[in-house]
């Protein structure tokens, strides 16, 4: 009986495989037609590019952050002072979160990528940016239980139609298998844009703006959380988010961003 059924199962398996291949091929047709009609351009220099939104020349201009860096804040050092030595900023103004990591410095190309994702509906950039973040945050992700994107207020989310931090978090979750909890942390108060505000003004602007939803406490309590955002500037937003997560009894909060502002004029240690 088994010998007779085996060829039938084999044929069925090959048929399903062929059907799946055909389905994948037909799913690519609309994207292929769009690529032919509208060739992809580099988001930075507008030169034609195959695939990921950044040409080889602009990719080479991205300043990827690699060791040595501050083990607390992820700020790059100009030389290696030792694995445990903190930056002056981490000593003088320690954040609520435990560690922060970023894929790149916030330079001209990184700024263009972030603005395109954030304001120009370039969600096609999220996969590449998310992969770079996953690589930069591997140490954090290996120990994490859950990913939480920095939330938008519902009015801003309505106008933008999507949350760029959520788009990056989805990619990282798919890459690493770390669970994404997108609705746990909420922005309960609309805030001003942080652009142009001083460090104290930024902190005041986001104070009390975030809260873990009562029905999502179980998603956070006792968990090692990684907060996902696009850019780390003063750290006021991520710090306010981390405090809200810690009030909800998160075991630990780390931060992973695509780009961080680095003050090159400040001494590293």
């Amino acid at each position: 009986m088994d010998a007779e059924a085996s060829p039938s199962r084999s044929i069925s398996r090959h048929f399903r495989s062929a059907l799946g291949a055909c389905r994948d091929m037909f799913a690519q047709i609309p994207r292929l037609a769009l690529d032919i009609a509208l060739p992809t351009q580099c988001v930075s220099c507008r030169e034609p590019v195959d695939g990921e939104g950044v040409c080889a020349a602009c990719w080479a201009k991205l300043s990827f952050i690699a060791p040595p860096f501050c083990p607390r804040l992820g700020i790059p050092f100009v030389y290696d002072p030792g694995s445990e030595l903190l930056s002056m900023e981490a000593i003088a103004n320690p954040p609520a979160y435990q560690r922060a990591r970023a894929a790149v410095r916030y330079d001209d190309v990184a700024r263009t990528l972030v603005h395109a994702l954030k304001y120009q509906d370039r969600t096609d950039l999220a996969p590449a940016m998310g992969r770079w973040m996953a690589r930069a945050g591997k140490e954090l992700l290996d120990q994490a239980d859950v990913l939480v994107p920095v939330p938008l207020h519902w009015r801003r989310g309505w106008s933008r139609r999507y949350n760029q931090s959520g788009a990056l978090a989805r990619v990282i979750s798919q890459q690493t298998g770390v669970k994404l909890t997108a609705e746990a942390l909420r922005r309960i108060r609309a805030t001003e844009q942080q652009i142009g505000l001083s460090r104290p003004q930024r902190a005041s602007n986001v104070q009390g703006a975030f809260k873990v939803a009562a029905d999502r406490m179980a998603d956070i309590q006792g968990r090692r959380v990684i907060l996902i955002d696009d850019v780390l500037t003063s750290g006021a937003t991520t710090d306010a988010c981390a405090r809200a997560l810690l009030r909800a009894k998160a075991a630990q909060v780390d931060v992973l961003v695509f780009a961080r502002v680095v003050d090159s004029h400040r001494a590293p240690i």
Side-chain angles (χ1 to χ4, degrees), residues 185 210-212 220 239-250:
L185 185 63
F210 302 95
K211 186 177 181 179
V212 173
I220 301 301
D239 205 63
C241 289
R243 291 181 190 280
L245 291 164
L246 290 168
R247 282 195 298 270
K249 308 299 183 187

Side-chain angles (χ1 to χ4, degrees), residues 137-194:
K138 187 179 186 307
E139 174 193 4
L140 279 54
L141 291 161
D142 285 347
Q143 304 167 10
D145 298 313
V146 65
L147 305 178
V148 173
V150 171
L152 297 175
H153 189 263
W154 69 267
R155 285 201 292 267
R156 190 165 292 164
W158 179 267
S159 65
R160 286 191 192 167
R161 301 192 303 280
Y162 64 92
N163 178 3
Q164 75 281 355
S165 299
L168 294 169
R170 278 192 295 276
V171 173
I172 296 167
S173 179
Q174 291 163 3
Q175 286 279 308
T176 63
V178 180
K179 181 183 177 183
L180 170 62
T181 303
E183 300 298 327
L185 185 63
R186 296 178 184 171
R187 193 182 292 243
I188 57 174
R189 178 171 62 79
T191 56
E192 297 177 39
Q193 291 276 6
Q194 296 278 66

Side-chain angles (χ1 to χ4, degrees), residues 71-88:
R72 186 76 189 271
L73 299 182
I75 297 171
F77 290 143
V78 293
Y79 59 88
D80 190 353
S83 60
E84 300 302 319
L85 199 59
L86 300 178
S87 62
M88 290 179 65

